[in-house]
Amino acid sequence: MDIKKKLASRKFWAAFLGALAPVILSYMGQDIAIGEALQLSAGIIVSYILGQGYADGQAAKTLT
């Protein structure tokens, strides 16, 4: 996928900000430990990767 398309994707930015938010909130002194924040961020990133893989696989399936 072209990097320009990836950076223009709303799904990408939602995943990026969703992964960044727990870590930022942890450093800002919210009631969340850094370990938990990293686990939340990792979960969001993995979900995005799996979701994009599924969407790409479905798109490739319709082309054949």
Side-chain angles (χ1 to χ4, degrees):
M1 177 175 253
D2 187 29
I3 195 75
K4 287 184 181 182
K5 285 184 182 179
K6 186 66 72 178
L7 291 176
S9 169
R10 290 177 291 181
K11 289 185 284 187
F12 171 77
W13 286 109
F16 178 75
L17 294 175
L20 197 60
V23 176
I24 290 173
L25 290 175
S26 175
Y27 282 116
M28 290 177 61
Q30 297 295 322
D31 192 24
I32 184 170
I34 188 65
E36 292 173 348
L38 292 175
Q39 286 177 347
L40 289 170
S41 295
I44 292 169
I45 291 168
V46 168
S47 297
Y48 174 75
I49 290 170
L50 292 176
Q52 277 301 116
Y54 179 77
D56 291 345
Q58 292 300 314
K61 192 184 289 185
T62 60
L63 293 176
T64 59

